[in-house]
Amino acid sequence: MEDLTQEEWVEQLATDENAVVLDVRTDAEVADGIIQNAVHLDFYKGQEFVNNIEALDKSKNYYVYCRSGNRSGQACKLMEQLGFENAYNLEGGMLAWTGDVVSLKS
């Protein structure tokens, strides 16, 4: 697991053809907007979250974020324990994010 600043995250993501962006916020938080092409898995779903993480392709590179960087850091540590080699946590999460987001509100 590695913590990345927004600048490092954006730069690394731009050149990573094996990348998956993972949003671990709640449904209510995601309703305010999500980073383009992110996969949403709610961290607070407990065992369901763990099962969903275990089903992911371990050969991919995961860029994980939440609201503040705390849950995504925990998710990255969990992923590491489950055998994922490349999980990157967005420092500061969405609170610090200044990039584009896609609104899910209709």
Side-chain angles (χ1 to χ4, degrees):
M1 181 199 120
E2 188 177 345
D3 289 320
L4 299 178
T5 64
Q6 180 176 329
E7 291 75 23
E8 292 167 330
W9 161 291
V10 169
E11 189 176 301
Q12 194 167 311
L13 190 56
T15 59
D16 189 343
E17 294 186 9
N18 200 29
V20 176
V21 177
L22 198 56
D23 184 324
V24 298
R25 297 176 300 154
T26 65
D27 291 340
E29 290 170 321
V30 168
D32 291 332
I34 189 168
I35 294 175
Q36 184 83 35
N37 299 321
V39 175
H40 175 232
L41 298 176
D42 187 342
F43 182 81
Y44 288 134
K45 298 274 187 188
Q47 189 59 47
E48 180 184 330
F49 176 76
V50 174
N51 294 344
N52 287 332
I53 291 292
E54 287 178 321
L56 296 173
D57 183 346
K58 289 184 173 62
S59 71
K60 301 277 186 191
N61 302 323
Y62 291 90
Y63 294 79
V64 189
Y65 71 95
C66 65
R67 188 181 69 84
S68 67
N70 185 24
R71 278 172 285 170
S72 51
Q74 293 176 48
C76 286
K77 287 178 184 158
L78 170 68
M79 292 173 81
E80 205 170 61
Q81 291 168 356
L82 294 173
F84 290 83
E85 291 186 21
N86 298 309
Y88 305 103
N89 180 39
L90 177 61
E91 286 182 349
M94 287 301 280
L95 292 176
W97 182 254
T98 57
D100 293 334
V101 294
V102 178
S103 176
L104 299 181
K105 293 177 181 172
S106 49

